[in-house]
Amino acid sequence: VLIPISALIGFAIWFGLNRTVIGKIVLAVIHNEEMSVSMGVRVNRVYAIAFAFGVLLAALAGALTAPKISMQPGLSSDVIILSFAIVVIGGLGSVEGAAVGAVLVGLARAASVHLMPQAELFMIYLIMAAVLMFRPEGLFKRETARRI
Amino acid sequence: MKKDLHPLAMIALIAGVTLFGRVLPTWTLSLATIAASNALIALGIVVLARTGNVSFGQGLFFAAGGYGVALIASAWGLTDAVAQVIIGAACGGLLGLVVGPLIARYSGIFFGMLTLALSMVFYGALVKSTALGGSDGFNVGRPTLFGLSFTDPREADFMLYAVSVIVTGFAGIGATILFRSEFGLASLAVRENNLRVEYLGISANRIISINFVIAAVFAGASGAFALMAQRHIDPQFAYWTTSGEFVFIAVLAGNQSVAAVFVASMALELVRSFSNLYLPNTWQLVLGVFLLGVILFLPRGIGSLWIRKRRKRSNSTAKAPLAAERGATP
């Protein structure tokens, strides 16, 4: 159930971010906050909605994984590191990057448990370091212009 | 950073604080030692944060300093407190010299995650190395000072307190001088816009590397203090929650004032131990509410209490990892 749902949500977010007006507004806010304000975008509201949406996804992920694992209050810290690692591997702001990063991390972790159990603890970090070594901004970097 | 306070006045302040330790009760001394040690490493993070980069992997240098000191202490029986601090700082600094230039070209969250990755790899290696005691770590002897050994626990505590306050104080003075120097201003410029700094003919990477090494030296010395205070070391030193705590002190302090780092570290330690004492079941809740309160009401850190001058921060890359840290601390 998990895989199709996450694939579906991933596609929906990619579509929403890249192919709709709302998505364009969000990207505009990321790209240049001041310009967006002057164009009449309510930047604070966009931030709030984006944050709420992120929280919604996190809650959904928690609800979907809960039956598979043992729940405890300290659960959050592992997830934080894991999700940051995935996002960094994939590249910030890239849905497809996050998907590829997640698959990469999941497979690598499973493989290291199977083949090299002593490396299981830091496999994720090794992959992250290796990816950043060659692609300093993640696998799928969104091209951005920057102010000079 | 007060513009009017002369370094000599600061030295007098350190001496005063050290002597004040004579009249403090014993439990405060060990608390203050830990707070000073945490302040030292948080100061390193503040130094680094002035270039716009937040390191989540200071635990790497913290542990490197601690393990370096512990190994030398158990191999050759070197127990002198000052020598141990110097060794710890040297271990941290050497590792920083290796890591710093490699990592200087990253920025924002990538910088933070890479430092975190390195410290977690180190953690994994430490846990798996049976020669270093694995996940249990090992004990080291009681520190001495200039050939004197302290059998009275109170005297030993005071000695440790004095050494940590003096070293941290001098590090603070050094950092203040650094912040006021040309180099410190160039670091701020790197945070604002590293491309412009490059166009002016200054190497932004070099500035970040140097600041990184300074932070690593502070972290190594801090690791030596933590080792001497606990007389035990384990891989937890390199774990990312340890690093996160130091980042949190730095966030609480804000990057405007060196003194704020000490205040923040002491306040955090006090709140933690008092809430631990009186509310043993809900102390995390108290700590969390305290941290939340500081962030909500003093968004620029404790330093903004006495620093009126508002600097506009147009940098958004430094904020992202900080926001993440907020979520990370339970």
Side-chain angles (χ1 to χ4, degrees):
Chain A
V1 186
L2 257 178
I3 297 172
I5 290 183
S6 53
L8 196 70
I9 291 176
F11 180 75
I13 292 171
W14 177 85
F15 187 83
L17 212 52
N18 293 307
R19 294 284 181 276
T20 62
V21 178
I22 301 169
K24 293 278 179 212
I25 291 174
V26 173
L27 292 185
V29 170
I30 296 168
H31 195 75
N32 194 333
E33 202 179 312
E34 284 170 13
M35 207 51 162
S36 312
V37 172
S38 62
M39 290 300 206
V41 178
R42 291 184 199 175
V43 169
N44 281 344
R45 182 185 282 192
V46 172
Y47 277 133
I49 292 174
F51 180 77
F53 195 70
V55 171
L56 184 147
L57 289 179
L60 191 66
L64 288 174
T65 23
K68 289 175 181 283
I69 51 172
S70 64
M71 296 302 289
Q72 85 232 27
L75 196 68
S76 55
S77 55
D78 274 348
V79 177
I80 287 175
I81 287 300
L82 209 58
S83 49
F84 263 107
I86 288 168
V87 169
V88 164
I89 287 173
L92 286 183
S94 154
V95 178
E96 58 271 34
V100 171
V103 171
L104 203 64
V105 165
L107 288 182
R109 222 173 158 196
S112 76
V113 168
H114 188 60
L115 303 171
M116 229 177 110
Q118 63 269 36
E120 193 257 329
L121 260 177
F122 48 89
M123 202 60 210
I124 310 162
Y125 307 103
L126 276 183
I127 291 178
M128 187 160 76
V131 168
L132 289 184
M133 212 65 86
F134 297 107
R135 307 267 320 193
E137 309 231 315
L139 289 174
F140 294 83
K141 188 201 160 202
R142 189 184 288 279
E143 290 300 324
T144 47
R146 62 162 296 182
R147 228 176 305 173
I148 298 174
Chain B
M1 187 180 10
K2 281 182 193 164
K3 291 282 179 208
D4 50 356
L5 200 57
H6 195 268
L8 283 177
M10 295 184 222
I11 291 176
L13 193 68
I14 296 169
V17 171
T18 311
L19 290 177
F20 187 58
R22 291 307 303 188
V23 295
L24 286 173
T26 314
W27 63 270
T28 340
L29 283 184
S30 48
L31 197 79
T33 309
I34 297 289
S37 144
N38 287 350
L40 186 57
I41 192 165
L43 191 63
I45 294 176
V46 170
V47 167
L48 197 55
R50 285 167 63 90
T51 63
N53 291 310
V54 178
S55 164
F56 283 98
Q58 287 307 95
L60 173 63
F61 307 106
F62 189 60
Y67 268 93
V69 170
L71 286 178
I72 288 175
S74 54
W76 298 323
L78 181 86
T79 51
D80 189 80
V82 174
Q84 288 193 335
V85 172
I86 294 170
I87 291 170
C91 291
L94 283 177
L95 196 59
L97 269 181
V98 177
V99 176
L102 288 176
I103 221 170
R105 66 194 178 108
Y106 299 91
S107 64
I109 186 174
F110 298 99
F111 185 92
M113 290 310 281
L114 205 53
T115 51
L116 186 138
L118 290 174
S119 92
M120 285 308 288
V121 169
F122 192 56
Y123 170 79
L126 287 176
V127 166
K128 297 297 172 195
S129 60
T130 41
L132 298 176
S135 57
D136 292 333
F138 57 93
N139 291 327
V140 289
R142 207 177 263 283
T144 57
L145 185 67
F146 305 133
L148 299 170
S149 59
F150 297 87
T151 41
D152 181 17
R154 188 179 149 70
E155 285 302 309
D157 278 350
F158 177 71
M159 184 275 286
L160 212 53
Y161 167 80
V163 173
S164 62
V165 166
I166 291 172
V167 171
T168 311
F170 274 100
I173 295 177
T176 314
I177 294 171
L178 185 81
F179 288 177
R180 293 175 188 176
S181 71
E182 216 169 277
F183 178 78
L185 295 176
S187 308
L188 281 183
V190 170
R191 185 181 73 190
E192 293 304 326
N193 197 324
N194 56 350
L195 273 184
R196 280 188 199 172
V197 171
E198 294 273 353
Y199 288 165
L200 288 173
I202 308 168
S203 166
N205 281 0
R206 217 175 109 204
I207 288 177
I208 295 174
S209 305
I210 294 172
N211 278 312
F212 194 83
V213 172
I214 294 170
V217 167
F218 285 178
S222 170
F225 283 129
L227 174 77
M228 285 189 278
Q230 299 175 3
R231 296 203 292 281
H232 176 81
I233 190 159
D234 57 55
Q236 197 66 35
F237 272 50
Y239 199 62
W240 70 271
T241 48
T242 316
S243 314
E245 197 171 305
F246 302 134
V247 174
F248 214 102
I249 297 174
V251 171
L252 279 186
N255 63 355
Q256 308 180 62
S257 162
V258 171
V261 179
F262 301 109
V263 175
S265 171
M266 195 67 208
L268 192 68
E269 246 357 271
L270 279 176
V271 169
R272 192 209 308 276
S273 51
F274 273 103
S275 55
N276 213 341
L277 186 64
Y278 293 114
L279 303 156
N281 295 321
T282 52
W283 68 272
Q284 284 113 330
L285 196 70
V286 176
L287 196 63
V289 169
F290 168 70
L291 301 175
L292 208 59
V294 172
I295 284 172
L296 285 180
F297 295 111
L298 296 170
R300 281 159 179 279
I302 292 177
S304 60
L305 277 179
W306 60 86
I307 303 240
R308 288 271 160 260
K309 203 175 82 179
R310 302 255 178 244
R311 270 194 233 104
K312 191 179 176 291
R313 262 174 82 172
S314 61
N315 168 309
S316 58
T317 49
K319 282 178 199 157
L322 297 188
E325 178 53 35
R326 237 169 271 171
T329 303

